[in-house]
Amino acid sequence: MANVVIVGTQWGDEGKGKVVDLLTNYADYVVRFQGGNNAGHTLVVEGKKYVFHLIPSGILYENKKCMIGNGVVIDPAVLLEEMDELTEAGLPVTPGRLTISHNAHLIMPYHMLLDGADENAKKDGAKIGTTGRGIGPCYGDKILRNGIKAGDILDESLFREKLQENVDEKNFLLTKKYNRDPISFDDILRQYLDHAEKLAPFIGNVSVELDQARKAGKHILFEGAQGTQLDIDHGTYPFVTSSNTVSGNACTGSGFGPSHIDEVIGILKAYTTRVGEGPFPSELFDATGEALQKKGGEFGATTGRTRRCGWLDTVVANEAVRLNGVTGLAITKLDVLSGQNALKTATSYELDGKRYDAMPGNIKTTSKLNPVYEEMPGWQEDITQARNADDLPVKARNYVKRIEELTETPVMLLSVGPGREETMLLRNPFEK
Ligand code: GDP
Ligand code: IMO
Ligand code: MG
């Protein structure tokens, strides 16, 4: 039995969905523990592309159980849409296949309106470039103890009470602060009672189910969203998302005890990308950056925005290893680097004569950091057909070896294409 957490080590979109889908083969349970439909996880199975925002990436296996933990914020309309799409694809999501924590908070229509209004009111330079899905305002209400939980909509009188308080408060903000139209209590009530009826059979106690699964010796895979540099505490604040993305939250965000976690896998893209605003020391503004963007198909799966691209950064990777307790790295998109004459890696930063081996806590300093690069020869060969590490050109193997040295962490998976089969699993975390 093994319980494994998967996290992004950079600014998201590292290929977590693909790796979760692949490793689900060896797991019994797959659990989302934070984030919401700001995430976009793309899986390619037998040539068919699936994009999930909320439902765990393990859902494509019929005999596995998926869980949405208390740390996730749920837009019920998006969840129901994803369930409908899966039904259309011949994979109906039944209560036996999905449990939603009664403690997960719900994204309400006013959260989306406030997300947009707040971004709009910010000056250039202060805008975060959020996904506009209501994530920040929903987590904000949770922390302020005003939130509405999945379990609350099953109790109409409790839901009415909470909704009324929220509508009164949000209408004050919308009309007085942001000069927007008010929202209607009745419309939201009707809409959410309809969602409640559809979701009721799925809402339950994720913590209890996971405990029973663990005691029965089942394998549990925890699926992180976003990436370590987007963590609300440890990332490039305020240019972050509103949840803890690090592995510790796999426990808090699902109700699972930390002493039962066996492995933490950090997903590391072979180069770096970022969507939205905020510091990115190894960002490329030249033809190489454009080439990575094109070849890597670097468009956001949620908003369609072009992802900013840059060289690999092992300061960022080392932050992730430290903050998450990474026991193995999965390197993705190695194929995208084929054709580069030289590959640069940022191994530290420099500013005003001072060297930085970790992110400074000050955002103004972080945004001015100059990367210190080391350079390695690139390889020209197409590597998408490689299925064993030995199939890779020696220069690609050296690049991987150098990442292991710089991060002091073993690589346990290499990915050379979006498909399930375009993967080399060097060590299976579920086979101890
Ligand atoms: P996530 O948010 O971490 O799950 O990552 P996304 O799904 O948003 O972005 C990763 C993108 O890269 C998706 O379109 C994947 O299909 C694709 N992908 C994943 N691994 C590889 C790989 O090794 N090579 C290539 N070329 N594409 C990959
Ligand atoms: P996955 O799981 C990349 C970014 C947004 C924005 C910031 C805050 O696919 O890796 P939010 O809407 O969360 O308040 O936006 O965080 N962001 C992501 N970037 N991948 C994601 O998820 C992201 N989720 C949020 O672009 O900069
Ligand atoms: Mg993504």
Side-chain angles (χ1 to χ4, degrees):
M1 152 191 130
N3 303 313
V4 177
V5 182
I6 287 188
V7 289
T9 61
Q10 296 153 314
W11 278 280
D13 303 324
E14 296 90 351
K16 299 175 291 294
K18 169 182 163 160
V19 178
V20 170
D21 166 69
L22 186 96
L23 290 181
T24 299
N25 192 25
Y26 310 97
D28 303 297
Y29 286 71
V30 184
V31 188
R32 271 283 304 264
F33 55 89
Q34 48 71 231
N37 58 312
N38 48 348
H41 301 162
T42 306
L43 331 180
V44 181
V45 180
E46 287 165 12
K48 192 166 162 21
K49 185 167 144 177
Y50 301 83
V51 184
F52 298 123
H53 300 286
L54 204 45
I55 222 147
S57 300
I59 198 75
L60 294 181
Y61 294 79
E62 274 177 70
N63 52 346
K64 315 281 173 168
K65 178 102 198 213
C66 289
M67 304 272 187
I68 297 182
N70 56 280
V72 176
V73 287
I74 301 172
D75 182 330
V78 172
L79 180 58
L80 287 164
E81 201 180 300
E82 289 193 349
M83 288 161 77
D84 285 348
E85 277 168 28
L86 280 158
T87 304
E88 271 167 40
L91 288 164
V93 183
T94 55
R97 294 187 63 213
L98 175 73
T99 304
I100 301 164
S101 167
H102 53 196
N103 283 331
H105 281 247
L106 298 180
I107 298 182
M108 307 297 291
Y110 46 79
H111 291 137
M112 281 169 270
L113 292 171
L114 289 170
D115 193 354
D118 190 52
E119 271 285 277
N120 200 39
K122 283 194 160 84
K123 293 196 188 81
D124 281 349
K127 289 188 197 297
I128 311 292
T130 71
T131 58
R133 302 300 194 260
I135 304 295
C138 183
Y139 278 115
D141 272 347
K142 171 176 171 173
I143 299 299
L144 288 169
R145 293 160 294 197
N146 294 328
I148 297 176
K149 304 198 293 182
D152 297 340
I153 55 171
L154 304 182
D155 177 341
E156 190 176 330
S157 75
L158 175 65
F159 177 48
R160 274 175 182 273
E161 224 173 274
K162 285 192 158 199
L163 183 63
Q164 190 64 63
E165 282 169 22
N166 273 287
V167 166
D168 292 347
E169 189 222 352
K170 270 55 177 192
N171 274 342
F172 178 80
L173 285 175
L174 285 166
T175 57
K176 303 277 190 268
K177 181 173 179 190
Y178 295 113
N179 207 15
R180 305 268 173 126
D181 292 336
I183 44 165
S184 149
F185 171 87
D186 288 335
D187 286 355
I188 302 177
L189 182 74
R190 205 175 324 111
Q191 209 183 331
Y192 276 65
L193 286 179
D194 184 50
H195 295 330
E197 205 180 306
K198 292 180 182 138
L199 291 177
F202 296 90
I203 297 173
N205 192 324
V206 165
S207 174
V208 167
E209 269 195 64
L210 288 179
D211 197 47
Q212 286 164 350
R214 179 187 66 78
K215 286 177 177 154
K218 304 287 185 196
H219 293 294
I220 307 172
L221 183 59
F222 294 87
E223 173 183 13
Q226 289 84 48
T228 304
Q229 289 301 325
L230 289 172
D231 183 278
I232 186 77
D233 284 285
H234 304 287
T236 47
Y237 188 90
F239 301 98
V240 292
T241 189
S242 297
S243 64
N244 282 113
T245 60
V246 293
S247 60
N249 199 20
C251 295
T252 323
S254 66
F256 195 71
S259 54
H260 306 307
I261 301 289
D262 300 287
E263 290 249 15
V264 179
I265 299 171
I267 314 297
L268 181 74
K269 201 181 279 194
Y271 49 98
T272 312
T273 62
R274 174 164 204 169
V275 204
E277 306 302 320
F280 178 178
S282 67
E283 184 168 11
L284 286 163
F285 298 96
D286 59 5
T288 308
E290 254 172 62
L292 291 176
Q293 199 270 327
K294 277 216 180 73
K295 192 160 182 207
E298 297 293 356
F299 293 96
T302 298
T303 56
R305 289 178 289 177
T306 300
R307 293 175 183 152
R308 299 152 66 190
C309 293
W311 292 120
L312 181 70
D313 181 335
T314 55
V315 180
V316 164
N318 281 325
E319 290 258 316
V321 167
R322 169 167 44 81
L323 291 161
N324 297 293
V326 170
T327 54
L329 288 169
I331 302 183
T332 60
K333 302 194 105 163
L334 200 58
D335 53 302
V336 177
L337 291 182
S338 290
Q340 297 291 339
N341 291 325
L343 299 171
K344 288 190 189 179
T345 301
T347 54
S348 65
Y349 310 133
E350 179 279 329
L351 184 66
D352 300 331
K354 189 174 165 195
R355 179 188 159 126
Y356 292 84
D357 293 301
M359 286 287 185
N362 181 312
I363 194 66
K364 289 214 163 126
T365 310
T366 308
S367 55
K368 285 187 276 189
L369 294 169
N370 300 305
V372 177
Y373 286 118
E374 70 168 44
E375 203 170 301
M376 291 183 76
W379 62 92
Q380 301 307 311
E381 298 89 332
D382 174 1
I383 58 169
T384 53
Q385 301 305 318
R387 295 296 174 263
N388 293 296
D390 294 345
D391 299 340
L392 292 170
V394 68
K395 286 172 179 157
R397 270 183 277 152
N398 287 342
Y399 186 67
V400 172
K401 208 165 116 212
R402 188 66 186 136
I403 295 173
E404 289 187 318
E405 285 168 4
L406 288 166
T407 59
E408 297 176 20
T409 308
V411 169
M412 41 77 67
L413 181 150
L414 293 169
S415 173
V416 290
R420 250 185 212 167
E421 67 292 352
E422 290 165 312
T423 319
M424 291 160 255
L425 186 56
L426 310 177
R427 183 173 69 79
N428 188 336
F430 289 107
E431 283 170 8
K432 290 218 144 201

